[in-house]
Amino acid sequence: MINGGTNKCIFFLLFKMYFINTHLSRTWIVLALCFYWFCVVNSQCQVAQTCVHDATVSDCLAGEVLAPNVHIFNCCPACRLPGPTDPGDGTECKPPSSCLPDGSFGPVQCKGDMFTGRCFCSDKDGNRIFGQMWRNEASDMSCACSRRRAEIEASGRKFVTLHCTGNGDYEPLQCDDGLCWCANVKTGQPTVTPVPQEDMKRLPCYSAGVAGEQYLRRCESLVQSMATINQEQAEHGTKFFGNPTTFCAYDGSYGPFQIRNGVAYCTGRDGEILGSWQVISSEMSRMNCNCARDTMIYFPERGMTVTEICLANGNYQPHQNVGDVYYCVDTDGYPIEFLDEWPSDRCASYA
C-alpha cells in the first residue's frame, strides 16, 4: 500500500521532472519513480575567503548559536539554529552522509536522485566548498584539489593560488607560493621538477591558449592588486571605504557574491551581477547565492529550470511547496522532508 508521504514524494518528483525536463520519455519517468521509491534523498552541507563582517553572539536571534568558520569560504562566523543537519558544528559524520573512518566527512557529498541530483565537494566538517558535478556524471569525482586548498586556507594562508577544475580536481598546471609544476590531476603531485614561477612557460603542461601570459586569472589579479592598494593606504594612515571587495572561486573565476558600495550582490563566474539578488553587506552572514546561481547558470546549462523559490539574498527559501505538498529544503535546494504543513519555524533550522 502506498502511504500519504510516498504519494507526496511521487507527485513532487513528477512535478519536478515535468518542469525541469519535459522531453523525458515515459520509460525514464517509470525508472525515476522506481528509483525514488527505493532510495532516500541525502541532505547536508553549506558554502562559501576574507571575512567582511564581525558577527558576534549578540547578533544572533533567540535560540541561535554563533558557529565559527562556517561562512564565506570558511573564514567567518555566522548565526544559526543548532540542529542535527548543521555541518561544521562538531557533529560526527553519520549516514547518509559519506563518512571517513575517522568520523569526518568525506570529500564528496551527494544529494538528490540520478536526474536532478548533484555531488558537491566538502571539507572535513561537512561544509560545502568549491566543486560540483551532476550525480549521474560524478563516479570519478575526488575533490582532492578543493579539499587540499580548503585545508591550506584553514591553516591561515589567505591567498592560495592552487587552481581546481569545476569538479574539484587539480588543473594540470599549478603555481603556488612562487613555484610552478605539472600536476597529476587527481592527486596534485608534481609530474616534473617544480620551477620558479617566472619559468612557468618552460613546463610541458603549459599552454598559452589555456594559461595565457600569466598564471593568475582576472579575479585573482584584482584581489592581489586591491591587497597591495589596501596595504599602501594602511602604511600612509588612510583607508578608502569605497573599494570593492572581491571574492574568487578555486578555479580563479569570480565567486558567488561580490561587495560594491556596501551592497553584496550575487554574481556569475564572470563577476557580472545576477538578477536582483542582493543584501547590504552587514547582513550577508548567511548569503551563499546557491539558488541564484542554480537559477541563472547551472540548471540552464543543462537545459533545466529551477522550480524552487529564492530569497532576496540569492539563497534557497527553506520552506517550499507545490500545491498542497509542503517540504523543507537544505541550502542547496534539495528536499529534506515532506510535510502536511510547514513547521512553526518555517524550516528555518535548515537555512
Side-chain angles (χ1 to χ4, degrees):
M1 180 178 293
I2 301 176
N3 61 34
T6 305
N7 273 323
K8 288 187 175 182
C9 292
I10 293 176
F11 172 78
F12 174 77
L13 181 62
L14 286 171
F15 174 85
K16 293 284 288 184
M17 293 175 67
Y18 176 78
F19 281 98
I20 289 176
N21 208 339
T22 55
H23 64 270
L24 286 174
S25 66
R26 289 184 181 178
T27 302
W28 282 110
I29 293 176
V30 172
L31 289 173
L33 292 177
C34 292
F35 181 87
Y36 205 83
W37 180 275
F38 289 107
C39 295
V40 178
V41 176
N42 296 339
S43 63
Q44 23 358 93
C45 279
Q46 281 273 0
V47 207
Q49 192 154 22
T50 22
C51 194
V52 296
H53 68 87
D54 298 310
T56 64
V57 175
S58 61
D59 297 315
C60 299
L61 302 176
E64 292 184 327
V65 296
L66 185 69
N69 304 322
V70 296
H71 183 61
I72 307 181
F73 297 94
N74 307 322
C75 283
C76 295
C79 297
R80 58 173 55 193
L81 289 169
T85 61
D86 273 346
D89 62 356
T91 303
E92 183 178 356
C93 179
K94 298 178 182 179
S97 301
S98 174
C99 306
L100 298 180
D102 64 359
S104 63
F105 286 81
V108 182
Q109 301 292 328
C110 298
K111 305 180 180 185
D113 55 44
M114 296 301 290
F115 298 95
T116 62
R118 284 176 291 175
C119 295
F120 301 96
C121 295
S122 166
D123 68 12
K124 64 181 179 63
D125 296 318
N127 300 302
R128 175 179 162 181
I129 55 178
F130 178 83
Q132 62 175 290
M133 290 188 75
W134 293 97
R135 190 164 188 166
N136 62 357
E137 301 171 352
S139 60
D140 197 35
M141 188 177 183
S142 71
C143 294
C145 179
S146 293
R147 176 66 77 97
R148 178 56 184 152
R149 178 159 169 170
E151 290 172 349
I152 294 174
E153 290 175 349
S155 72
R157 276 187 62 194
K158 297 304 181 185
F159 194 67
V160 184
T161 57
L162 293 178
H163 281 166
C164 308
T165 61
N167 65 355
D169 284 346
Y170 287 89
E171 290 189 359
L173 174 64
Q174 295 291 333
C175 295
D176 191 42
D177 206 20
L179 292 176
C180 295
W181 65 94
C182 296
N184 179 302
V185 296
K186 289 298 182 184
T187 66
Q189 292 299 310
T191 58
V192 297
T193 302
V195 301
Q197 188 162 334
E198 55 266 26
D199 295 329
M200 173 185 72
K201 296 180 181 179
R202 297 182 181 182
L203 291 170
C205 58
Y206 169 78
S207 169
V210 176
E213 293 299 311
Q214 65 175 32
Y215 177 76
L216 293 183
R217 286 159 187 166
R218 181 179 176 183
C219 181
E220 296 169 313
S221 296
L222 180 58
V223 169
Q224 191 177 58
S225 298
M226 291 307 303
T228 301
I229 292 173
N230 290 337
Q231 181 178 354
E232 291 180 354
Q233 288 179 337
E235 290 174 353
H236 289 83
T238 61
K239 182 172 180 62
F240 178 59
F241 291 97
N243 288 338
T245 303
T246 302
F247 303 97
C248 304
Y250 286 6
D251 61 354
S253 67
Y254 285 86
F257 45 75
Q258 312 296 326
I259 301 175
R260 304 174 187 174
N261 298 317
V263 179
Y265 300 91
C266 291
T267 53
R269 292 175 292 222
D270 57 0
E272 295 298 315
I273 294 173
L274 298 176
S276 58
W277 293 289
Q278 59 183 269
V279 68
I280 59 174
S281 59
S282 61
E283 297 179 1
M284 64 173 295
S285 63
R286 290 184 177 86
M287 190 175 189
N288 56 49
C289 295
N290 289 347
C291 187
R293 281 201 158 192
D294 285 350
T295 299
M296 302 293 289
I297 301 175
Y298 298 119
F299 275 61
E301 285 178 343
R302 200 172 171 85
M304 302 189 301
T305 302
V306 172
T307 57
E308 278 72 31
I309 297 171
C310 302
L311 296 173
N313 65 358
N315 295 6
Y316 277 98
Q317 178 176 285
H319 59 285
Q320 304 278 346
N321 73 289
V322 179
D324 64 347
V325 178
Y326 298 84
Y327 59 103
C328 300
V329 300
D330 64 12
T331 55
D332 298 311
Y334 287 96
I336 297 171
E337 61 178 320
F338 294 88
L339 309 160
D340 293 324
E341 61 182 19
W342 289 317
S344 59
D345 68 349
R346 297 176 75 83
C347 306
S349 58
Y350 301 111

